[in-house]
Amino acid sequence: MFCCLGTVRRLCLDKILLQCILQSRTLSGADAINALRPFYFAVHPDFFGQHPKEREVNENSLKRLNGYLENLQKPGFRSFKPTQLTFYVREREPNSSNVQESFSASGFRAVSFTLHTRDLLSTVLDILNSCSLSTEHVQSLNSQPHKEAKSTVNRPIKWDKTYYSFTGFKDPEEELEQAQRVETTLMSWLDDNEASAVKKLKKSLPLRKELERLKIELSQELQLSDIRWQRSWGIAHRCSQLHSLGRLVQQRPEILQNVKGRTVVFTDRSGMSAAGHIMLGTMDVHHHWTKIFERLPNYYKLQKRLLLLEDRISQLLGGIQVIYIEELQPLLTLEEYYETLNSFYNKLRDSRLPFHPRSLRGLQMILESDRYAPSLHEFGHFMIPTVCDPTALQWFIFAKAQEARENLKRKEEMLITEKELIDTSTERFSLDRLYKEPSVSSAQMIDCCKRLLEESLPYLQGMHLCVSHFYSVLQDGDLCIPWNWKN
């Protein structure tokens, strides 16, 4: 008995010594941040200002990544769950790695990977390798200051299983193997997070009611078509923005006479959007908002010129309709979009393409400034780069015209199916709300809802469910689940 206790005590001391040695080989929190600089630069939301879908995905994934890194630095951290993350990075040539990659309509590369490491160094290397970023600076960072420590521990040490039996400590090797084998399932995640989501949701209910009241009052008073938010700000933040607008209405009611029938969007900058919505920058003060409202008559004149320009482009391209899809395209101001259209129109006019009048009526196209080759979207509209060669554009449209018409027809059917499934799922699970992120396509939403309806999910009653690319509980209690959740 005493021999066993002595052995255990010696093993405990040996483990403490080993941990001290191993800590000298790992990265500190500051080292990890420095090592991840190339990654942060590639995915930082501020670089996706004109791409709201990608920006939102990266913002949410960064929050979850930071939480993972913070947990790794907590003393005595033992609880461990694999974390799946998705980031959009700048487009480049696809690689041959086993990391799951796809490309968004805006041309950014979507990278998905799962973190299941237990130390900062391995985590940093996993992140950089998953995004195909160099790790040389990490290796040099880890080798230079700790050369002596590395020579001390030159072989991996494995503890005998009896050590964990006697001490009650968890075997990290066994935990890691188990975590790698087990993937997060919808049921297990809901079981673990339902209580937290319910608590946050109940806490947010008074603010949700306040938000709805403010939105209805301002919409009626100003005769607005709608009030929206470009990004997923919390309920408290949204209430604050509506209160600010309400104060401006009281102080300067005369400048708000030209907003009837318009949509107000709270976003990162002020102006008028390419879709004709009034944008109010959340970081701007009343003075900036006042200027925007005073300039509305000029914006409306520019909007009429923009519509005429779209018609002229349509006439040059056989009647194809030029559209702007707010959910799929970068957030552009009216001025930026007008310049894009004008540049494209001048190029078409000079090329004199021989399109037969009205031969392409019923088809649609959008203009994109960050692509180099034309493509056809699954919803049937052409995505045309502003720098596209007119001759190449002509042949591409001719070759894909019939496929585009078929896709447009399927789009209408798909949107109807999507709405029916959302309504059915909302009723079946007694959800308060079911919605999706802009980056989730209709096809993905349909697949998700069909699979949900095959399950029994009592956890969802009265909840707000968002279909996304990852698992998360938002600050106001909304449950986020990936569209391709596992059972």
Side-chain angles (χ1 to χ4, degrees):
M1 176 70 177
F2 288 109
C3 180
C4 289
L5 289 174
T7 301
V8 170
R9 188 178 293 110
R10 188 178 69 252
L11 288 171
C12 288
L13 291 172
D14 287 347
K15 182 179 181 183
I16 293 172
L17 176 61
L18 178 65
Q19 286 177 335
C20 291
I21 296 172
L22 289 177
Q23 282 174 357
S24 67
R25 300 175 61 197
T26 58
L27 297 180
S28 66
D31 285 340
I33 292 174
N34 286 331
L36 286 173
R37 282 184 185 277
F39 165 75
Y40 286 132
F41 181 79
V43 304
H44 198 285
D46 285 352
F47 295 111
F48 294 78
Q50 294 186 343
H51 301 274
K53 304 184 301 296
E54 289 80 0
R55 176 177 182 140
E56 188 169 11
V57 169
N58 283 13
E59 279 182 339
N60 289 322
S61 292
L62 280 174
K63 289 177 185 176
R64 299 174 67 239
L65 173 60
N66 290 336
Y68 188 94
L69 295 175
E70 287 174 7
N71 283 335
L72 287 181
Q73 298 174 69
K74 290 180 181 177
F77 170 71
R78 287 200 186 97
S79 60
F80 172 69
K81 291 181 182 177
T83 299
Q84 184 174 7
L85 300 172
T86 297
F87 287 98
Y88 283 100
V89 297
R90 291 174 181 80
E91 183 177 357
R92 56 163 188 76
E93 290 298 320
N95 64 13
S96 58
S97 71
N98 59 359
V99 178
Q100 182 181 346
E101 295 185 359
S102 61
F103 290 84
S104 69
S106 59
F108 293 109
R109 179 170 53 99
V111 179
S112 296
F113 54 89
T114 301
L115 295 178
H116 43 66
T117 46
R118 297 183 64 89
D119 63 89
L120 282 175
L121 176 58
S122 301
T123 303
V124 167
L125 291 174
D126 272 6
I127 294 169
L128 294 174
N129 285 326
S130 297
C131 296
S132 303
L133 297 171
S134 173
T135 60
E136 292 181 4
H137 63 293
V138 183
Q139 294 165 359
S140 61
L141 179 67
N142 189 45
S143 60
Q144 293 298 327
H146 312 305
K147 189 174 181 180
E148 183 180 345
K150 284 197 170 186
S151 63
T152 306
V153 184
N154 55 13
R155 64 180 177 83
I157 297 178
K158 290 188 177 182
W159 296 98
D160 191 276
K161 299 297 181 183
T162 55
Y163 165 75
Y164 300 104
S165 301
F166 276 116
T167 61
F169 288 130
K170 293 182 179 180
D171 184 348
E173 195 171 277
E174 186 178 315
E175 278 188 294
L176 180 58
E177 290 175 358
Q178 186 178 6
Q180 288 173 331
R181 289 194 303 267
V182 179
E183 191 170 7
T184 302
T185 64
L186 177 63
M187 291 295 193
S188 64
W189 186 83
L190 289 174
D191 190 44
D192 292 340
N193 293 275
E194 180 203 12
S196 169
V198 169
K199 183 178 178 181
K200 291 180 178 179
L201 180 61
K202 286 182 177 178
K203 186 179 179 181
S204 73
L205 288 178
L207 273 177
R208 288 180 187 272
K209 291 180 180 178
E210 173 72 359
L211 178 66
E212 189 63 22
R213 181 187 66 81
L214 289 169
K215 187 176 176 181
I216 291 173
E217 287 181 358
L218 282 169
S219 295
Q220 291 177 347
E221 184 174 359
L222 299 176
Q223 300 183 58
L224 296 172
S225 174
D226 194 11
I227 297 177
R228 302 179 193 169
W229 286 264
Q230 180 207 351
R231 292 166 56 193
S232 55
W233 284 295
I235 304 297
H237 196 171
R238 296 186 182 201
C239 284
S240 175
Q241 292 158 0
L242 290 184
H243 279 299
S244 293
L245 180 57
R247 285 194 296 272
L248 182 60
V249 172
Q250 294 175 353
Q251 296 167 4
R252 298 289 305 276
E254 72 282 357
I255 65 169
L256 294 157
Q257 296 175 355
N258 295 313
V259 299
K260 182 178 179 181
R262 293 284 169 171
T263 293
V264 168
V265 181
F266 289 97
T267 181
D268 293 325
R269 51 180 176 167
S270 297
M272 179 167 280
S273 73
H277 303 325
I278 301 168
M279 301 190 302
L280 299 181
T282 57
M283 300 301 291
D284 292 338
V285 294
H286 278 183
H287 175 68
H288 295 100
W289 290 6
T290 300
K291 282 188 173 181
I292 296 302
F293 287 120
E294 289 174 342
R295 289 164 55 189
L296 284 180
N298 292 329
Y299 279 126
Y300 296 156
K301 291 178 183 177
L302 180 59
Q303 191 176 26
K304 289 180 180 178
R305 290 168 54 196
L306 185 146
L307 294 174
L308 288 173
L309 199 52
E310 287 180 339
D311 287 340
R312 289 173 183 169
I313 293 173
S314 176
Q315 291 170 11
L316 291 175
L317 291 178
I320 191 170
Q321 182 185 8
V322 183
I323 60 174
Y324 177 86
I325 305 177
E326 194 174 7
E327 295 79 12
L328 297 179
Q329 292 184 254
L331 181 66
L332 299 176
T333 63
L334 198 65
E335 298 95 330
E336 290 169 342
Y337 189 48
Y338 182 87
E339 289 301 320
T340 299
L341 287 172
N342 192 48
S343 173
F344 185 72
Y345 169 72
N346 290 332
K347 180 184 292 187
L348 281 181
R349 184 189 57 190
D350 295 341
S351 65
R352 300 180 182 276
L353 293 176
F355 280 99
H356 190 278
R358 295 177 292 185
S359 60
L360 299 176
R361 288 188 65 180
L363 296 181
Q364 298 174 336
M365 62 167 278
I366 63 174
L367 277 177
E368 296 193 335
S369 56
D370 53 1
R371 298 179 73 91
Y372 294 93
S375 60
L376 179 63
H377 193 270
E378 62 174 347
F379 275 178
H381 58 264
F382 290 97
M383 298 185 290
I384 307 301
T386 54
V387 296
C388 185
D389 176 69
T391 305
L393 170 63
Q394 178 187 12
W395 284 110
F396 182 82
I397 292 178
F398 281 153
K400 296 287 185 177
Q402 184 57 36
E403 184 181 349
R405 294 187 190 279
E406 294 170 358
N407 286 4
L408 281 169
K409 185 178 179 180
R410 278 201 301 270
K411 169 191 172 182
E412 300 304 321
E413 297 171 353
M414 190 178 294
L415 291 177
I416 292 172
T417 301
E418 180 184 24
K419 185 180 185 306
E420 289 175 348
L421 285 169
I422 290 174
D423 292 342
T424 303
S425 301
T426 302
E427 183 179 354
R428 164 81 179 276
F429 302 117
S430 301
L431 287 163
D432 196 68
R433 186 187 178 203
L434 172 60
Y435 63 104
K436 67 174 184 177
E437 286 190 344
S439 54
V440 175
S441 69
S442 293
Q444 291 170 338
M445 188 66 173
I446 289 172
D447 177 70
C448 177
C449 289
K450 283 182 176 179
R451 294 169 58 238
L452 283 175
L453 288 168
E454 296 173 356
E455 304 293 330
S456 175
L457 300 169
Y459 306 95
L460 300 180
Q461 186 172 355
M463 301 302 293
H464 292 241
L465 183 65
C466 173
V467 176
S468 176
H469 296 276
F470 46 78
Y471 288 105
S472 179
V473 178
L474 301 184
Q475 61 185 12
D476 295 305
D478 294 44
L479 290 165
C480 289
I481 64 170
W483 68 269
N484 56 345
W485 52 269
K486 306 296 180 184
N487 190 352

